[in-house]
Amino acid sequence: MLIAGFPAGSFQTNCYVVAPAAGEECVVVDPGQNAVGDLDDLLREHRLKPVAVLVTHGHIDHMWSVAPVCGARDVPAWIHPEDRDLLSDPGKGLSLSAKQQMFGGLTFTEPDDVRELADGEVLRLAGLELTVDHAPGHTRGSVTFRLPATEEIPDVMFSGDLLFAGSIGRTDLPGGDYPTILRSLAAKCLPLPAETVVLPGHGPQTTIGQERAGNPYLAEAERAAGADPADVRHDGGPGRGL
């Protein structure tokens, strides 16, 4: 298994490539701002051929380069239907002040081939099997992608902006909701094996075991799973990701 990546653009959003091995087909996860050049270098280094672009959610720092990557390689983009409109209008996922600062004449379009993800779906691409988990809360269409364990590596989850090392995604932007992200954490993260490697949308990798032991938001998610929804605080979350 080959998994490689780099932080893209001013947002330092992690873009990943995943393949069975060097010299084979691959998928690209979350090509963000100005990702094209570094991605091309990575693909050349490992002699990889992309067959799809996977998007964990529609925020601009994760989808900035989706259309150019898909267009140059003639491959489809996969995104949850709840976030699909952000591919062509990413401003819908931002606050008014962020829109005013960011969109100086920029325009975005969908790739020619967009395919919609469903919760629990297994994508069989590039010789890989990736399980899709719909995990709203950061955005309505946030998803994670999971790879099963092999002899070489444990289970892997590409968590997008659901779960970070020591934190979780912000919930104060349009489409975000704090009680919803707690439910997603409880349903999609807590049941996973402790050794599951978490490759997040920002920052360093971690494991489910490390986060169970030290991430206060996972602890809160576990408590909230058994609580009345009215008792779950609405504070906008800790605020990582765009």
Side-chain angles (χ1 to χ4, degrees), residues 200-212:
H202 302 270
Q205 73 178 54
T206 183
T207 67
I208 290 294
Q210 287 174 295
E211 298 313 302
R212 281 200 204 117

Side-chain angles (χ1 to χ4, degrees), residues 89-180:
D89 188 4
K92 288 182 179 179
L94 301 175
S95 65
L96 179 60
S97 61
K99 286 186 220 179
Q100 292 169 336
Q101 294 170 21
M102 203 170 296
F103 293 100
L106 289 172
T107 58
F108 291 84
T109 58
E110 275 196 359
D112 290 338
D113 187 355
V114 178
R115 305 182 188 184
E116 296 185 348
L117 299 165
D119 185 40
E121 179 179 11
V122 177
L123 299 178
R124 292 176 173 86
L125 300 167
L128 306 166
E129 290 192 358
L130 296 113
T131 299
V132 179
D133 286 315
H134 183 211
H138 180 62
T139 68
R140 283 186 287 269
S142 289
V143 301
T144 68
F145 301 102
R146 288 186 290 114
L147 286 168
T150 68
E151 292 183 0
E152 306 167 286
I153 60 170
D155 298 83
V156 174
M157 179 173 71
F158 297 90
S159 63
D161 286 2
L162 172 66
L163 179 65
F164 303 116
S167 189
I168 62 172
R170 65 190 292 179
T171 57
D172 59 333
L173 293 174
D177 183 72
Y178 191 68
T180 299

